[in-house]
Amino acid sequence: MFNRKGRPAAADFIAFRVDPRLLRWALIGAVALGLRLYRLDDRSLWFDEIVTIRTAREPSVAQLVQTLDRIDGSRAPLHPLLLHGWMRAFGDSSVSARLLSVALGVATVALVLAQGRWAWSDRVGEIAAWFCAVCPPLVYYSQEVRMYSLVVLLAVASWMALLAAWRDPRPRYWIAYGALLALLFYAHPLAVFMIAAHGLVGIIGVLCGKLPAGRWAAAMIGAAAVAAPWLPRYLGQKTDYPIPRYPIRFLLATPIEYFGGNSLSLLVWGVVIVVGLATFSEGRLRVRTPEPSLAALAWFVVPPTLIYGYSWLRQPIFGQARYTLFIAPAYFLLIASGLAEVPRWLRLALMASATALAAYGLAVVTYAPNHKADWRAAAAWIRGQGGEAVVVVHAGDPRFIREPMEAARYYLKPDESLTLSTGDGESRRPGAIVYHAHVTTAPGGTPPVGETAAASFHGLTITRGVANPEGQDGANRRSP
């Protein structure tokens, strides 16, 4: 075993083998982390992110809740509270704030790997985790200072806790399950639709004699009791922008966004899912993994269906991709369970095609710089001009002036030498340079008729004038 000098013999190094599973898991983790860190701070913060940071910066929890009620339409407190503690530990820069979402996104990949391995097999866990690692919307919302990566993580954890309680009825699993449902509720108001899916699976489990009725009911009632004080804040919430009532095909096409592709690719993945769910054995059709399959199906199907139904019956809320993002891991687990059953060559071919589609989505959507107006670059340019200035913000839609105003206020940080205003350019600083920031929909955009652009940025066009002694902007002054 050792040579004369007491060192391990070369043969022992040759005989040493690293578990190939560890290498695969490390690769999945490295890809998940790398994709979420890549170009993390390239984009300016947008309105929702700025609202979240402003809320989390409050010095106390009481002030945080007050600010949340006042400026955040979601009213969901869990993520701002986590971010509050995170920024105290790691700073309150945009990079630091986004790193919390990165950590939550990578943790989701790890938890999907664990759930797939535990509930199905190593292969299922690895495939599903790989798809989560490269999924364009999961990567995108792991780079945003909002609650969506947290909601996805809690959705995965809640279903894993239910399956753990299903297999082992000890009280600690039911306590953890109830606690995770309560946390999920506080993470986002639309989580109530995910909790409804949990309720459906629980009722089926109780009726089939697979779940203890008392402990399941205690977990649900406990979660409801914890959630009840906050429920009035969620009731009557509306979306920031009007959303149409979409035809049913949009509901059916929801999973396409997770890989890309079209209806044909969706059909292929549907066949793969069926292969994973059922098998012929002894002349009978059997479900391969009843409890995990039921949980994944309910997780995948029920929430978006309920959200869609609610949109038609009461208020349109279906349509924003981020509102149904928490079903993506279930979709990947269902696909992975099917891919684990097909021949290796077919499995690798389908995984390669899905990865190629995801790579295309990452390149043209996730990392595209043109999602939001580039207020950071515009603010740096305006500050760099020097002198006293007034920045007049013109929204593309006057109904939504608050969004660009919040972004301008965050990046320009108005002080004695710079003020912000809206409207036609009234200035309280005679002789100050007046910059008009026009929100556009295209890179650079075009200035309004009769004005010349002083600078252009994505989503913004800046024009310039000088306020006269009476305070009227020279750029917009009309001759008699």
Side-chain angles (χ1 to χ4, degrees), residues 263-354:
S263 56
L264 179 59
S265 61
L266 189 62
L267 178 62
V268 170
W269 293 125
V271 172
V272 170
I273 289 173
V274 171
V275 171
L277 290 175
T279 182
F280 281 101
S281 177
E282 299 176 358
R284 297 176 59 187
L285 185 65
R286 299 178 182 273
V287 178
R288 294 186 189 273
T289 51
E291 291 86 0
S293 296
L294 173 63
L297 276 174
W299 175 2
F300 173 56
V301 173
V302 174
T305 303
L306 291 178
I307 293 172
Y308 185 82
Y310 181 88
S311 296
W312 275 93
L313 295 174
R314 187 168 181 182
Q315 175 191 332
I317 55 175
F318 179 86
Q320 298 287 347
R322 58 186 182 270
Y323 291 168
T324 53
L325 188 63
F326 52 15
I327 72 169
Y331 184 55
F332 295 145
L333 285 165
L334 289 168
I335 289 176
S337 67
L339 289 177
E341 303 298 331
V342 303
R344 185 171 183 271
W345 66 268
L346 181 58
R347 177 170 64 252
L348 294 178
L350 290 173
M351 288 184 65
S353 64

Side-chain angles (χ1 to χ4, degrees), residues 190-409:
L190 292 184
V192 297
F193 296 103
M194 182 64 76
I195 295 172
H198 275 281
L200 175 62
V201 172
I203 291 172
I204 293 173
V206 169
L207 293 178
C208 293
K210 300 293 186 178
L211 287 177
R215 291 184 178 180
W216 173 78
M220 298 298 290
I221 293 172
V226 173
W230 203 263
L231 183 61
R233 285 181 163 90
Y234 284 165
L235 296 177
Q237 292 297 314
K238 296 182 179 180
T239 58
D240 294 332
Y241 295 90
I243 297 176
R245 289 183 169 91
Y246 291 97
I248 190 67
R249 69 177 184 272
F250 285 86
L251 172 64
L252 300 177
T254 296
I256 289 178
E257 69 192 58
Y258 303 137
F259 286 135
N262 52 28
S263 56
L264 179 59
S265 61
L266 189 62
L267 178 62
V268 170
W269 293 125
V271 172
V272 170
I273 289 173
V274 171
V275 171
L277 290 175
T279 182
F280 281 101
S281 177
E282 299 176 358
R284 297 176 59 187
L285 185 65
R286 299 178 182 273
V287 178
R288 294 186 189 273
T289 51
E291 291 86 0
S293 296
L294 173 63
L297 276 174
W299 175 2
F300 173 56
V301 173
V302 174
T305 303
L306 291 178
I307 293 172
Y308 185 82
Y310 181 88
S311 296
W312 275 93
L313 295 174
R314 187 168 181 182
Q315 175 191 332
I317 55 175
F318 179 86
Q320 298 287 347
R322 58 186 182 270
Y323 291 168
T324 53
L325 188 63
F326 52 15
I327 72 169
Y331 184 55
F332 295 145
L333 285 165
L334 289 168
I335 289 176
S337 67
L339 289 177
E341 303 298 331
V342 303
R344 185 171 183 271
W345 66 268
L346 181 58
R347 177 170 64 252
L348 294 178
L350 290 173
M351 288 184 65
S353 64
T355 303
L357 285 172
Y360 177 79
L362 288 168
V364 303
V365 179
T366 302
Y367 298 129
N370 57 355
H371 290 294
K372 307 295 178 183
D374 192 0
W375 279 103
R376 179 169 53 190
W381 181 86
I382 291 171
R383 283 290 188 185
Q385 302 307 299
E388 292 193 355
V390 177
V391 178
V392 184
V393 178
H394 301 269
D397 186 331
R399 294 176 300 169
F400 306 115
I401 186 62
R402 183 182 169 217
E403 285 85 342
M405 280 297 292
E406 288 289 347
R409 184 175 292 111

Side-chain angles (χ1 to χ4, degrees), residues 21 71 93 113 121 126 131 138 145 164 196 209 238 287 295 308-310 331 413 426 469-470:
R21 295 181 305 172
I71 69 174
S93 68
L113 172 64
S121 66
E126 290 167 4
F131 287 155
L138 286 179
V145 191
K238 296 182 179 180
V287 178
Y308 185 82
Y310 181 88
Y331 184 55
K413 298 177 175 59
E426 261 190 44
E470 287 74 30

